[in-house]
Amino acid sequence: MQHSLEIKYQIISHLKDLEEGEQSLMLKAREALDNAYAPYSGFAVAAALELTDGTVLIGTNQENASYGLCLCAEQNVLAHAGANFHDTPIRKMAITARSSLRIIDHPISPCGACRQVISEHEDRHAYPIKILLQGEKGDILIFDSIKDLLPFSFSGNDLG
Ligand code: THU
C-alpha cells in the first residue's frame, strides 16, 4: 500500500512581512555572516537562535584547511545553546548564507547532519523549533518544526 506525506510550510516574499521578532532574528543572522570563516568554499552561513527566554545566540560556519573538519553554522550555535543554556528550549532558528561566487537568491536549507542535530534539540526539550530560511534575498521559507525537513527521523527513542 502506498502512503504519502504532506509537508506544511509558509513562503513569505519580503522580510518586512515577517513578524517583528522573526524579522530581527533573520537580520541578526545576516549581520553574523561577516563572522563566518569560509576561506575555502567562499560560502558563509549564519544561524541565529532565539530561546524561549528571549536570548539570541549566533553561530557561523568555521572552516579548516583540513576540509573534513569544517563546522556548520547550525551545529556551532546549537552546541553553544546546549553547553550554556541546557535547560532552555529553542523557539526559533533563522538560517542564511552568502557566497563569494554568486548572489544567493533562494533559501538555503540546513544539511542533513544539521537537520539531525536540530532534531535532537527539539526532542531533548520536547519543544518544536520554528525554522526560517532565506538567502541574501528572495523568499523566506518557514517550517514549524525541523521534523518537516526531516521526516522519519532517527531519535533516541530508536535506541530503546
Ligand atoms: N554549511 C553550513 O554551515 N551549514 C549547512 O547546513 C550546510 C553547509 C557550511 C559548511 C561549509 O563551510 C560551507 O557551508 C560549504 O559547504
Side-chain angles (χ1 to χ4, degrees):
M1 189 178 158
Q2 263 198 331
H3 299 265
S4 65
L5 191 69
E6 189 186 32
I7 294 176
K8 293 210 170 79
Y9 61 97
Q10 293 177 63
I11 304 178
I12 308 282
S13 303
H14 300 286
L15 203 61
K16 64 174 170 45
D17 296 328
L18 289 181
E19 58 184 64
E20 204 184 309
E22 296 177 350
Q23 215 177 106
S24 80
L25 197 66
M26 185 56 81
L27 286 173
K28 281 176 187 156
R30 211 181 268 182
E31 278 169 27
L33 286 170
D34 289 337
N35 298 330
Y37 178 65
Y40 304 106
S41 70
F43 194 79
V45 183
L49 291 186
E50 183 192 288
L51 308 185
T52 53
D53 67 1
T55 303
V56 172
L57 305 174
I58 303 288
T60 57
N61 55 332
Q62 300 294 316
E63 298 190 344
N64 194 287
S66 176
Y67 292 173
L69 300 180
C70 292
L71 297 171
C72 287
E74 298 91 327
Q75 293 184 57
N76 277 340
V77 71
L78 289 165
H80 183 66
N84 297 286
F85 300 88
H86 62 95
D87 282 338
T88 316
I90 298 160
R91 189 156 47 202
K92 293 177 194 139
M93 185 175 207
I95 303 167
T96 189
R98 185 175 66 210
S99 169
S100 57
L101 301 177
R102 66 198 162 97
I103 300 284
I104 308 278
D105 59 2
H106 60 277
I108 294 298
S109 269
C111 75
C114 288
R115 293 177 198 207
Q116 180 68 24
V117 175
I118 301 168
S119 178
E120 181 86 20
H121 279 262
E122 268 200 6
D123 293 345
R124 77 193 256 187
H125 294 294
Y127 196 98
I129 302 174
K130 195 171 193 176
I131 311 282
L132 299 105
L133 310 175
Q134 192 186 28
E136 282 174 79
K137 59 178 194 174
D139 288 346
I140 300 140
L141 298 190
I142 305 182
F143 299 83
D144 286 339
S145 159
I146 191 64
K147 299 302 187 285
D148 292 322
L149 282 169
L150 191 66
F152 298 99
S153 59
F154 178 74
S155 79
N157 289 334
D158 295 314
L159 298 175

